[in-house]
PDB file of all heavy atoms in Angstrom:
ATOM      1  N   HIS A  19      53.000 128.011  82.451  1.00 67.00           N
ATOM      2  CA  HIS A  19      52.957 128.453  81.056  1.00 67.00           C
ATOM      3  C   HIS A  19      51.565 128.337  80.540  1.00 67.00           C
ATOM      4  O   HIS A  19      50.930 127.339  80.631  1.00 67.00           O
ATOM      5  CB  HIS A  19      53.914 127.596  80.253  1.00 67.00           C
ATOM      6  CG  HIS A  19      54.187 128.151  78.913  1.00 67.00           C
ATOM      7  ND1 HIS A  19      54.941 129.248  78.647  1.00 67.00           N
ATOM      8  CD2 HIS A  19      53.800 127.649  77.646  1.00 67.00           C
ATOM      9  CE1 HIS A  19      55.017 129.434  77.361  1.00 67.00           C
ATOM     10  NE2 HIS A  19      54.329 128.534  76.711  1.00 67.00           N
ATOM     11  N   TYR A 215      60.226 124.309  72.627  1.00 67.00           N
ATOM     12  CA  TYR A 215      60.565 125.406  73.451  1.00 67.00           C
ATOM     13  C   TYR A 215      59.335 126.051  73.946  1.00 67.00           C
ATOM     14  O   TYR A 215      58.393 126.249  73.221  1.00 67.00           O
ATOM     15  CB  TYR A 215      61.408 126.457  72.737  1.00 67.00           C
ATOM     16  CG  TYR A 215      62.755 125.945  72.324  1.00 67.00           C
ATOM     17  CD1 TYR A 215      63.133 126.000  70.930  1.00 67.00           C
ATOM     18  CD2 TYR A 215      63.651 125.424  73.205  1.00 67.00           C
ATOM     19  CE1 TYR A 215      64.431 125.598  70.558  1.00 67.00           C
ATOM     20  CE2 TYR A 215      64.903 124.955  72.844  1.00 67.00           C
ATOM     21  CZ  TYR A 215      65.269 125.028  71.472  1.00 67.00           C
ATOM     22  OH  TYR A 215      66.495 124.594  71.056  1.00 67.00           O
ATOM     23  N   LEU A 216      59.263 126.364  75.274  1.00 59.00           N
ATOM     24  CA  LEU A 216      58.116 126.977  75.812  1.00 59.00           C
ATOM     25  C   LEU A 216      58.152 128.511  75.704  1.00 59.00           C
ATOM     26  O   LEU A 216      57.112 129.170  75.642  1.00 59.00           O
ATOM     27  CB  LEU A 216      57.944 126.622  77.308  1.00 59.00           C
ATOM     28  CG  LEU A 216      57.845 125.138  77.581  1.00 59.00           C
ATOM     29  CD1 LEU A 216      57.574 124.858  79.037  1.00 59.00           C
ATOM     30  CD2 LEU A 216      56.722 124.455  76.778  1.00 59.00           C
ATOM     31  N   ASN A 217      59.363 129.047  75.626  1.00 57.00           N
ATOM     32  CA  ASN A 217      59.473 130.485  75.506  1.00 57.00           C
ATOM     33  C   ASN A 217      60.890 130.842  75.101  1.00 57.00           C
ATOM     34  O   ASN A 217      61.725 129.956  74.819  1.00 57.00           O
ATOM     35  CB  ASN A 217      59.081 131.204  76.829  1.00 57.00           C
ATOM     36  CG  ASN A 217      59.953 130.775  77.980  1.00 57.00           C
ATOM     37  OD1 ASN A 217      61.091 130.377  77.844  1.00 57.00           O
ATOM     38  ND2 ASN A 217      59.304 130.778  79.178  1.00 57.00           N
ATOM     39  N   ASP A 218      61.192 132.127  74.999  1.00 52.00           N
ATOM     40  CA  ASP A 218      62.549 132.575  74.532  1.00 52.00           C
ATOM     41  C   ASP A 218      63.626 132.228  75.459  1.00 52.00           C
ATOM     42  O   ASP A 218      64.765 132.300  75.154  1.00 52.00           O
ATOM     43  CB  ASP A 218      62.474 134.055  74.240  1.00 52.00           C
ATOM     44  CG  ASP A 218      61.595 134.429  73.053  1.00 52.00           C
ATOM     45  OD1 ASP A 218      61.344 133.537  72.211  1.00 52.00           O
ATOM     46  OD2 ASP A 218      61.135 135.588  73.013  1.00 52.00           O
ATOM     47  N   ALA A 219      63.306 131.832  76.703  1.00 51.00           N
ATOM     48  CA  ALA A 219      64.305 131.487  77.685  1.00 51.00           C
ATOM     49  C   ALA A 219      64.774 130.083  77.545  1.00 51.00           C
ATOM     50  O   ALA A 219      65.550 129.547  78.279  1.00 51.00           O
ATOM     51  CB  ALA A 219      63.792 131.746  79.142  1.00 51.00           C
ATOM     52  N   LYS A 220      64.262 129.400  76.502  1.00 55.00           N
ATOM     53  CA  LYS A 220      64.648 128.062  76.150  1.00 55.00           C
ATOM     54  C   LYS A 220      64.220 126.997  77.170  1.00 55.00           C
ATOM     55  O   LYS A 220      64.885 125.987  77.361  1.00 55.00           O
ATOM     56  CB  LYS A 220      66.171 127.935  75.925  1.00 55.00           C
ATOM     57  CG  LYS A 220      66.735 128.951  74.907  1.00 55.00           C
ATOM     58  CD  LYS A 220      66.174 128.752  73.538  1.00 55.00           C
ATOM     59  CE  LYS A 220      66.817 129.674  72.562  1.00 55.00           C
ATOM     60  NZ  LYS A 220      66.206 129.581  71.190  1.00 55.00           N
ATOM     61  N   GLN A 221      63.190 127.297  77.925  1.00 58.00           N
ATOM     62  CA  GLN A 221      62.598 126.278  78.796  1.00 58.00           C
ATOM     63  C   GLN A 221      61.926 125.229  77.957  1.00 58.00           C
ATOM     64  O   GLN A 221      61.121 125.562  77.114  1.00 58.00           O
ATOM     65  CB  GLN A 221      61.589 126.900  79.838  1.00 58.00           C
ATOM     66  CG  GLN A 221      62.262 127.887  80.746  1.00 58.00           C
ATOM     67  CD  GLN A 221      61.330 128.830  81.341  1.00 58.00           C
ATOM     68  OE1 GLN A 221      60.229 128.999  80.850  1.00 58.00           O
ATOM     69  NE2 GLN A 221      61.701 129.341  82.606  1.00 58.00           N
TER      70      GLN A 221
END
Side-chain angles (χ1 to χ4, degrees):
H19 192 70
Y215 294 125
L216 303 185
N217 57 32
D218 292 338
K220 306 299 185 183
Q221 295 164 333

